[in-house]
Amino acid sequence: MQKNLSINFKNALSQKSIYVAALSTCLIAVVAFAVLSHLIAEDNRKNNEDFAKKTFFRKYESVESEFRNIEDYQYLLRELIQKDGLKNYRDYSLVLNDLNKKRNLLTYSWYYYDNHKTGKYESNNPLANVFKERNSEEGSIAIRNTGSGHFKDLLISRKDSMFWVSYDSITLPEKNVLYYGSTVSLDDLHQYFTNVDKSSNTYAYVFTKEGICITHPEKKYIGKNVFSFTDIKAKDTLCNAVKSGYTEGLANSEYLAMEVTRFIKPLKTDNFDGYAVVNYVNFITDENINKVKAYTVYIFLAALFLIVTVFILFQRSTSIAYKEKEKIQSEKNLLLVENEKMHKAEVINQLQQLKNNINPHFLFNSLNSLYMLIGINKENAQKFTMNLSKIYRYLIVPPKENIVPVSKEIDFIQKYMELLKSRFDEELNFQLIIKDPESLKKRIPYLSLQIVTENAIKHNIATIDQPLEITIEVEGNGITVKNTYQPKTEEVQGEKFGIDYLNQVYEYFRENPLHISVDGEKFICFLPLMK
């Protein structure tokens, strides 16, 4: 029987089977990381799209707010003039302009008094020629306005600058006319929109319903028809046909000469009827996705290297273990049948334990945590990698008789819990208390602390609201592992394998078995120590 066991063991650990297993694992890793890369890229693109929409709404609200401020200012002028401004319009204009400067407002208040009898005029408006030569349309563009405010609007070009003039008039006795209104520099208006949200990768402009561009970061486009210098089509302004109230699509920026996501939404007040356009630069999104893909490749290469290293070390360790078993083959034939059965069960349990611990699921979870740390904290990522390497070195080289010093198990469980903390963060609290330092020299079953803590995590709820608390206390005659008892409702597979493994080891060495109990809100497991 012992001879057949050795032959099967040798066949099971042949180089061919090791290489096939390694190749299969690498293939699974390639597929897994390809899928992961795709999912991360898609999730990143979706997040950027959501950010683009939020940025669009924020920019649009600032544009709409300023247009309404300009309109409200014009209403204020009308109210003051119609109340008693015919007597004090000069003082009103002077006071309002002083207030505007102190409040950093864009509007400039002005008046133009046309004396029909004398043919002379009085004005504080630098653009007075517009009213002096009212029959001439040179240098100005009229903006159609059918709103309830009944203000007149002009775009005026002076010395490489564009101004938006909004005005009203009152006819006085003897056919004298008082023009009053406000002027906004379109350069200042666009600069205001830019400064509202400097952090966003957007730029905005406004055009009337007829297509006349009111604001734009490129001066040469102000006053021009947007349909002539952009690829905006008439259908892009049909926002009422869209449930969201705005149109969205990819376009080529006439300003940046690159692809942007363009949002168009109606901009309507009592004195203006047009559209606001917000362009979001897409190259930031593409750069983020490329970074994600690059990080995924780096993680894949690191994982592949780690997997190959683990299998090589595993193959060497099993080869050494087999050679040692061959040397003592003759001695084992003298053992009793009971001891032979126990040894066989021990080998099977040992191999099964290694397979359960050296598995892609744990590795992938660890690598996912490593991926997150690379982008957040490079120093912690390096520390995480070293811990992972030490853990797998401990796992792939099992001790003889499955018994190890307590100090080694304590060192291993600390590194193991550090990895788990990177995954669960605030959902898991771990505490180690050494009451008797001399107990560290005693021995304990191999991986016993890992089995108990893994069972606690596997079978109990661990959330931020209900964190799982695990406490390990090292005493003179044993180790007590306590955890908060908050069991999961669903059934967990493989529930008794670890406990059965520990019971077999204690029984094999004729030691007192481990003791498991529930005390109120605590689940308690006591592990006896061996000399």
Side-chain angles (χ1 to χ4, degrees):
M1 180 185 294
Q2 186 65 38
K3 185 176 181 180
N4 293 334
L5 175 61
S6 299
I7 294 173
N8 293 334
F9 185 64
K10 180 179 180 180
N11 292 335
L13 300 178
S14 64
Q15 287 189 353
K16 182 178 180 181
S17 62
I18 293 294
Y19 293 146
V20 170
L23 183 61
S24 301
T25 304
C26 291
L27 182 60
I28 293 174
V30 170
V31 174
F33 277 100
V35 173
L36 178 64
S37 176
H38 174 73
L39 292 177
I40 293 176
E42 287 300 315
D43 184 65
N44 192 68
R45 185 178 294 278
K46 185 177 181 301
N47 290 337
N48 277 278
E49 290 176 356
D50 293 339
F51 178 75
K53 290 180 181 179
K54 291 179 181 178
T55 304
F56 152 63
F57 285 119
R58 188 163 61 245
K59 182 73 78 172
Y60 176 85
E61 288 173 359
S62 66
V63 173
E64 183 183 39
S65 175
E66 188 59 26
F67 268 67
R68 292 193 182 279
N69 288 339
I70 294 172
E71 181 180 277
D72 291 342
Y73 186 81
Q74 189 67 9
Y75 277 121
L76 174 62
L77 280 176
R78 174 181 285 176
E79 183 178 352
L80 292 174
I81 294 296
Q82 290 183 350
K83 183 177 181 181
D84 60 350
L86 298 178
K87 300 177 182 179
N88 304 304
Y89 61 84
R90 299 179 184 85
D91 295 334
Y92 280 138
S93 180
L94 181 62
V95 171
L96 287 174
N97 284 333
D98 287 340
L99 289 174
N100 290 345
K101 289 180 180 179
K102 294 178 181 179
R103 296 168 58 192
N104 295 323
L105 297 183
L106 300 174
T107 50
Y108 170 79
S109 177
W110 55 265
Y111 65 87
Y112 179 91
Y113 180 74
D114 189 352
N115 193 318
H116 179 73
K117 184 177 181 179
T118 61
K120 297 181 179 180
Y121 71 91
E122 177 187 356
S123 176
N124 68 340
N125 185 4
L127 306 176
N129 290 338
V130 176
F131 301 95
K132 186 177 180 181
E133 303 171 1
R134 291 189 297 278
N135 296 328
S136 174
E137 298 182 356
E138 183 179 358
S140 64
I141 302 173
I143 302 176
R144 295 183 183 180
N145 178 20
T146 58
S148 59
H150 301 293
F151 298 115
K152 299 177 180 61
D153 295 280
L154 294 174
L155 291 183
I156 302 175
S157 176
R158 289 292 186 275
K159 296 181 180 180
D160 297 329
S161 296
M162 292 291 293
F163 299 89
W164 178 12
V165 178
S166 183
Y167 69 96
D168 199 0
S169 63
I170 295 179
T171 302
L172 306 176
E174 299 181 0
K175 298 183 179 181
N176 296 333
V177 181
L178 174 64
Y179 295 92
Y180 63 92
S182 61
T183 300
V184 177
S185 170
L186 295 183
D187 294 340
D188 295 341
L189 184 60
H190 175 73
Q191 189 61 38
Y192 169 79
F193 293 150
T194 301
N195 294 333
V196 167
D197 189 8
K198 291 183 177 181
S199 61
S200 63
N201 308 302
T202 61
Y203 72 92
Y205 58 90
V206 179
F207 64 91
T208 66
K209 212 164 188 179
E210 294 75 28
I212 299 176
C213 185
I214 300 294
T215 67
H216 199 282
E218 191 71 57
K219 289 184 180 180
K220 65 180 182 181
Y221 294 137
I222 299 178
K224 302 292 176 53
N225 194 300
V226 294
F227 299 108
S228 64
F229 63 84
T230 69
D231 56 357
I232 296 177
K233 307 297 181 185
K235 64 179 181 179
D236 297 330
T237 62
L238 300 177
C239 302
N240 293 332
V242 184
K243 184 178 180 181
S244 60
Y246 61 89
T247 60
E248 175 186 357
L250 297 178
N252 292 320
S253 171
E254 74 291 339
Y255 175 54
L256 302 175
M258 63 176 57
E259 185 183 74
V260 296
T261 299
R262 182 172 60 203
F263 300 89
I264 302 177
K265 187 176 182 179
L267 179 62
K268 190 172 183 179
T269 67
D270 291 346
N271 201 41
F272 183 82
D273 191 2
Y275 299 90
V277 180
V278 178
N279 290 330
Y280 180 83
V281 182
N282 288 332
F283 77 90
I284 302 295
T285 302
D286 296 334
E287 282 187 357
N288 290 338
I289 292 176
N290 290 335
K291 287 182 180 179
V292 171
K293 290 182 177 179
Y295 290 149
T296 305
V297 171
Y298 297 152
I299 294 175
F300 164 71
L301 294 176
L304 190 61
F305 174 77
L306 185 59
I307 291 172
V308 172
T309 302
V310 168
F311 272 103
I312 291 175
L313 294 176
F314 180 72
Q315 192 272 340
R316 289 182 179 179
S317 65
T318 52
S319 177
I320 293 172
Y322 171 71
K323 290 178 180 180
E324 291 179 353
K325 290 181 185 296
E326 269 191 337
K327 292 180 181 179
I328 61 174
Q329 183 65 45
S330 58
E331 298 177 4
K332 287 186 177 180
N333 290 332
L334 302 177
L335 296 176
L336 298 174
V337 175
E338 182 180 354
N339 288 336
E340 185 176 280
K341 290 181 179 180
M342 179 61 70
H343 178 73
K344 179 178 179 181
E346 179 190 352
V347 172
I348 293 174
N349 282 329
Q350 180 176 325
L351 292 177
Q352 184 64 40
Q353 180 65 25
L354 290 175
K355 291 178 180 178
N356 285 344
N357 285 281
I358 308 175
N359 64 80
H361 178 72
F362 175 72
L363 179 60
F364 291 163
N365 283 338
S366 300
L367 290 175
N368 282 337
S369 300
L370 176 59
Y371 162 75
M372 297 298 295
L373 284 175
I374 288 176
I376 299 174
N377 191 314
K378 183 178 180 181
E379 182 178 351
N380 287 346
Q382 293 175 344
K383 182 178 178 182
F384 184 96
T385 305
M386 291 301 298
N387 280 343
L388 185 61
S389 175
K390 292 177 181 178
I391 283 176
Y392 269 87
R393 187 179 295 113
Y394 186 80
L395 290 173
I396 63 178
V397 184
K400 294 181 180 180
E401 300 181 340
N402 280 350
I403 300 297
V404 295
V406 174
S407 59
K408 286 191 175 181
E409 276 291 293
I410 292 296
D411 184 60
F412 168 78
I413 200 63
Q414 286 180 309
K415 293 181 174 61
Y416 181 77
M417 293 305 295
E418 285 181 11
L419 294 189
L420 292 180
K421 280 290 290 181
S422 67
R423 287 172 50 198
F424 294 98
D425 196 14
E426 299 178 5
E427 303 168 1
L428 179 64
N429 295 328
F430 173 71
Q431 186 178 17
L432 174 64
I433 302 174
I434 301 178
K435 296 183 177 180
D436 185 1
E438 290 297 319
S439 299
L440 299 178
K441 300 177 182 179
K442 297 181 180 180
R443 299 190 298 171
I444 197 173
Y446 173 59
L447 296 180
S448 56
L449 294 180
Q450 188 272 337
I451 291 173
V452 176
T453 54
E454 183 67 21
N455 278 344
I457 295 170
K458 184 188 300 182
H459 300 294
N460 290 278
I461 296 172
T463 64
I464 295 178
D465 296 332
Q466 290 181 277
L468 180 62
E469 298 181 357
I470 300 177
T471 302
I472 297 178
E473 297 179 357
V474 181
E475 301 171 318
N477 60 340
I479 298 178
T480 302
V481 181
K482 301 179 182 179
N483 64 267
T484 47
Y485 187 61
Q486 41 199 34
K488 297 179 180 178
T489 56
E490 68 273 9
E491 184 178 356
V492 180
Q493 296 182 355
E495 182 175 354
K496 295 184 178 181
F497 170 78
I499 302 301
D500 290 341
Y501 162 76
L502 293 178
N503 281 326
Q504 289 180 13
V505 174
Y506 279 111
E507 184 179 354
Y508 180 77
F509 288 93
R510 304 295 194 272
E511 294 287 343
N512 294 328
L514 73 163
H515 181 265
I516 296 175
S517 63
V518 177
D519 184 9
E521 297 180 354
K522 295 289 184 180
F523 184 90
I524 303 173
C525 181
F526 180 78
L527 299 168
L529 297 182
M530 306 175 188
K531 296 182 180 179

